[in-house]
Amino acid sequence: VHNRFALVGADFGAWTIDALKPVRGPGLDKAARLTVRRLASDPDPHPVVWRLEGQMSNLRYATRREVSDLRARQEGLGRPSARRAAMIPIKKSAAWWDLAQDERRAIFEDQSRHTAIGMDYLPAIARQLYHCRDLGQPFDFITWFEYAPEHAVAFEDLVARLRDTREWTYIEREVDVRLALA
Ligand code: HEM
């Protein structure tokens, strides 16, 4: 369980939830704060509103060149300047999962340019993807982004561009949670 994480909505936690909006499908219940914690065997010490679990994993679609470009440009989580965050859990449709790997790659990058668009926002936006489709979770992915307040406008632009892609037509549930360290 060393790479498995819980993202917990509750009345405690380092991150304040500034906004919580359903984008497609059902949302999540209102919570005041959010914690990201490595999953341990000990239970949550206090009652929680919701808890999403996911694990870090390998890349699925990126080419050698994309992997190298990402590694050269991306920065890690936890930068002192990054006092804003977004958590956007996403579930894709059965139609997406019925496709073959090469068909998904074609939609994800050749048609939707997901990585190419995202690269425009590095290193300002730091990211972590958690996979949860195989964990019996309500979402397939939990996406997590951290940025400085002055990059909040750029982040909105990024999200708008991605939501306008063919890839996004395969998304059947998406919730947008915005956070601040305060
Ligand atoms: C900060 C800029 C971004 C970059 C550089 C980026 C890049 C990537 C990369 C490299 C992957 C994994 C590809 C693979 O498995 O080989 C990925 C997956 C994913 N990203 Fe992004 N991304 C960015 C922003 C976003 C945003 C803002 C969202 C949500 C609104 C998002 C949602 C996702 C999802 C749901 C996946 C999993 C897709 C799947 O496996 O079907 N990404 N992204």
Side-chain angles (χ1 to χ4, degrees):
V1 294
H2 66 283
N3 67 343
R4 199 142 149 190
F5 289 78
L7 289 88
V8 178
D11 60 8
F12 59 88
W15 294 94
T16 301
I17 298 181
D18 284 343
L20 192 163
K21 292 187 192 127
V23 179
R24 185 169 278 225
L28 288 166
D29 289 342
K30 193 173 149 69
R33 305 186 71 91
L34 181 145
T35 318
V36 183
R37 71 182 193 106
R38 204 177 279 272
L39 217 63
S41 45
D42 50 311
D44 289 307
H46 306 289
V48 306
V49 182
W50 38 259
R51 136 197 272 284
L52 303 176
E53 288 182 21
Q55 59 196 12
M56 294 177 173
S57 187
N58 54 281
L59 294 169
R60 308 293 203 266
Y61 305 115
T63 60
R64 173 72 266 162
R65 197 203 161 97
E66 288 161 352
V67 171
S68 301
D69 288 351
L70 284 162
R71 285 185 185 156
R73 291 187 57 183
Q74 68 198 359
E75 290 183 0
L77 302 184
R79 297 170 295 180
S81 62
R83 304 193 58 83
R84 297 283 181 280
M87 179 189 78
I88 306 179
I90 283 175
K91 180 178 169 65
K92 286 184 166 174
S93 65
W96 172 263
W97 295 110
D98 280 345
L99 295 171
Q101 181 74 9
D102 60 335
E103 295 172 304
R104 287 195 293 263
R105 155 77 201 184
I107 294 165
F108 179 86
E109 197 61 37
D110 307 329
Q111 297 171 25
S112 303
R113 299 180 37 82
H114 184 125
T115 308
I117 290 172
M119 292 272 222
D120 288 346
Y121 301 85
L122 303 186
I125 313 294
R127 43 180 275 280
Q128 179 63 56
L129 179 65
Y130 301 95
H131 287 258
C132 30
R133 171 169 157 81
D134 296 326
L135 303 179
Q137 290 283 304
F139 296 95
D140 296 330
F141 309 96
I142 306 163
T143 68
W144 177 265
F145 308 93
E146 292 180 3
Y147 45 94
E150 61 265 34
H151 294 126
V153 172
F155 186 73
E156 296 312 321
D157 182 60
L158 163 63
V159 168
R161 285 173 72 188
L162 287 174
R163 285 186 180 141
D164 204 27
T165 60
R166 172 129 195 258
E167 183 194 357
W168 247 253
T169 66
Y170 290 90
I171 288 175
E172 64 176 36
R173 187 176 178 197
E174 177 177 4
V175 185
D176 194 323
V177 183
R178 298 310 176 87
L179 308 133
L181 270 184

